[in-house]
Amino acid sequence: MNNRISEKAGIPAHLTWGYLGVLIFMMGDGVEQGWLSPYLIEHGMNIQQSASLFTVYGITIAISSWFSGVLAESYGPRKAMLIGLLLYIIGTIGFVGIGMAKLDYGAMLFFYAIRGFGYPLFAYSFMVWVTYRTPQNMLGRAVGWFWFVFTGGLNVLGAYYSSWAIGRLGYENTLWSSIFWVLIGAFFALVLNKDKFETKASKGSKWKELANGLTIVKKEPKVLLGGIVRVINTTAQFAFPVFLPLYMAEHGFTTKEWLQIWGTIFTSNIIFNLIFGFVGDRMGWQNTIMWFGGVGCAITTILFYYSPIWFGGSYWAVMAAGVAWGALLAGYVPLSALVPSLVKEDKGAAMAILNLGAGLPVFVGPALVGVLIGTIGSAGVIWVLAGLYVLSAVLTKFITIDKIAELKEIKEII
């Protein structure tokens, strides 16, 4: 891409290869999201075991998300990303080659947990790189593009690729192929990307910075509320794949159709990530999160679940309901502007809470399914998820900032 064109679009020219690398890496990471749970259940695992597997995976993702910034700043993002790549490959080899091959649940838990350390170290360390090496006047757009390639790879290309690959390669070989894609992504992000990153502080100060990510919630409790809202934001995103593929299959949907629906949902989501950035600047960040994010997702979560029943198993009705949910999920985008603006200093610490909030749903979602589905069923889980969205709208009502400060922050983003 021409340097002038890329920078006009908001992508730092010196990091263009890195963005492409993250897109491809996340595509490799997302190949199993839409089908792994039903596949394991078909091979003798119960839904609670499947949920536990994803819960353990999510715990390591949350831990890795929390530490990725510290490692990137202390040792440089290139080294942190390389560590993430190696952990991903080791985890995949063990999970597929030992766990799935021998149907060894203990090995699956262990190696899938190792695999969980991989993508946060790779992707979020690159976000640190972007934050430090992007001019202030284009940082908002640069970070927006990061989330575009992150979500586009994980939830869109990963789903579409796997819907093609499982019919030609089989399920296990599709997982093996993820190693090829993450290596290609790493080649672009770590080899072709020649940009230099100089660490600016000692390791000690970085640990102090990490501690600030905990103490900030005492100094400004509204940051904690923002972190809770961020957890609720994507809890359903990671709960749905545990049980919805089975539910949809009961209503006549094939795995391929489900993957196409799931991929289209997040095609909608990445488009509306950009749209709701503009909407938030005009309607106000708080209003956008409350009404489009919280209330909108509550309504569309219920619509998505009941659409196969209400519309007689219509593929396009389910697709439309899912796309509406994916679009309104982007209503939470202004949270990344709202929460840091709550504090005059320690904005990095406030962002650490949001990063942790981004990592936690990966295990909160499956854990919620594992705990509740046996007693209240899939319909009960849906109503709980819808209730959480309403709760996030109520909590957002209390995340208030000075209007003058908000206008200042918006001007900086623009």
Side-chain angles (χ1 to χ4, degrees):
M1 186 185 294
N2 180 278
N3 287 0
R4 188 174 294 177
I5 295 173
S6 68
E7 297 206 350
K8 196 170 182 181
I11 300 175
H14 51 283
L15 291 173
T16 303
W17 288 118
Y19 280 93
L20 180 59
V22 170
L23 176 71
I24 297 171
F25 184 100
M26 294 310 301
M27 184 190 86
D29 182 81
V31 297
E32 84 277 9
Q33 269 208 339
W35 56 263
L36 184 59
S37 178
Y39 173 86
L40 293 175
I41 290 168
E42 285 174 13
H43 287 76
M45 194 180 291
N46 62 47
I47 195 165
Q48 285 82 5
Q49 286 178 312
S50 175
S52 297
L53 179 71
F54 286 102
T55 300
V56 171
Y57 176 66
I59 289 171
T60 59
I61 284 176
I63 294 169
S64 185
S65 299
W66 182 254
F67 281 103
S68 59
V70 175
L71 290 174
E73 291 183 316
S74 298
Y75 300 102
R78 199 181 297 274
K79 287 182 182 176
M81 291 168 76
L82 182 59
I83 293 170
L85 172 68
L86 293 174
L87 289 172
Y88 180 91
I89 291 172
I90 291 168
T92 300
I93 291 172
F95 179 74
V96 184
I98 301 174
M100 288 180 71
K102 299 180 179 178
L103 294 178
D104 184 334
Y105 184 62
M108 286 184 194
L109 283 173
F110 178 74
F111 284 108
Y112 208 49
I114 291 176
R115 192 174 183 267
F117 283 106
Y119 89 68
L121 281 174
F122 190 90
Y124 295 157
S125 295
F126 181 72
M127 185 165 64
V128 173
W129 201 338
V130 170
T131 302
Y132 271 91
R133 296 283 294 131
T134 303
Q136 191 66 30
N137 64 350
M138 63 183 292
L139 182 57
R141 286 171 291 158
V143 174
W145 277 108
F146 167 81
W147 288 113
F148 182 91
V149 298
F150 179 92
T151 307
L154 180 65
N155 296 115
V156 180
L157 294 182
Y160 284 131
Y161 166 72
S162 62
S163 73
W164 173 87
I166 58 177
R168 292 161 176 79
L169 306 177
Y171 289 95
E172 288 190 23
N173 285 334
T174 296
L175 266 179
W176 280 120
S177 74
S178 70
I179 294 177
F180 169 76
W181 293 113
V182 299
L183 285 171
I184 294 293
F187 175 75
F188 283 116
L190 302 179
V191 179
L192 293 186
N193 174 20
K194 304 294 185 183
D195 190 61
K196 304 293 183 186
F197 182 98
E198 298 294 331
T199 55
K200 294 182 175 67
S202 67
K203 294 173 190 177
S205 67
K206 295 308 174 187
W207 288 110
K208 185 179 178 182
E209 186 176 323
L210 182 65
N212 283 342
L214 294 172
T215 58
I216 189 68
V217 299
K218 280 190 174 181
K219 290 188 282 184
E220 182 47 85
K222 292 175 187 175
V223 171
L224 177 60
L225 291 181
I228 294 170
V229 172
R230 181 64 183 88
V231 173
I232 294 172
N233 175 194
T234 48
T235 289
Q237 177 182 331
F238 294 99
F240 283 170
V242 178
F243 71 100
L244 275 190
L246 298 170
Y247 170 78
M248 293 295 177
E250 290 171 6
H251 289 84
F253 288 83
T254 65
T255 299
K256 183 176 180 179
E257 286 174 327
W258 162 251
L259 290 172
Q260 288 170 344
I261 291 169
W262 192 244
T264 307
I265 284 171
F266 286 96
T267 302
S268 150
N269 177 254
I270 63 174
I271 293 169
F272 276 86
N273 277 340
L274 302 176
I275 292 172
F276 276 115
F278 289 100
V279 172
D281 288 344
R282 282 153 183 77
M283 280 190 58
W285 301 329
Q286 189 186 45
N287 284 333
T288 303
I289 297 163
M290 285 171 55
W291 296 109
F292 290 102
V295 176
C297 282
I299 294 168
T300 51
T301 293
I302 295 167
L303 178 63
F304 186 33
Y305 181 81
Y306 286 104
S307 56
I309 299 170
W310 292 344
F311 300 101
S314 166
Y315 173 82
W316 293 110
V318 174
M319 175 74 82
V323 165
W325 172 75
L328 290 166
L329 196 64
Y332 287 93
V333 160
L335 196 63
S336 294
L338 178 61
V339 171
S341 68
L342 294 169
V343 293
K344 292 181 180 178
E345 298 176 354
D346 294 326
K347 290 183 184 290
M351 284 302 295
I353 295 297
L354 279 183
N355 284 342
L356 182 61
L360 286 172
V362 187
F363 84 85
V364 171
L368 203 65
V369 176
V371 170
L372 298 178
I373 201 163
T375 53
I376 62 176
S378 60
V381 172
I382 284 294
W383 283 96
V384 168
L385 291 170
L388 286 174
Y389 280 126
V390 173
L391 174 62
S392 77
V394 174
L395 293 177
T396 302
K397 183 72 176 172
F398 297 97
I399 308 175
T400 54
I401 58 173
D402 181 84
K403 289 293 176 188
I404 295 173
E406 182 176 10
L407 287 171
K408 257 182 166 179
E409 292 290 337
I410 289 173
K411 282 179 182 176
E412 284 181 14
I413 290 172
I414 293 172

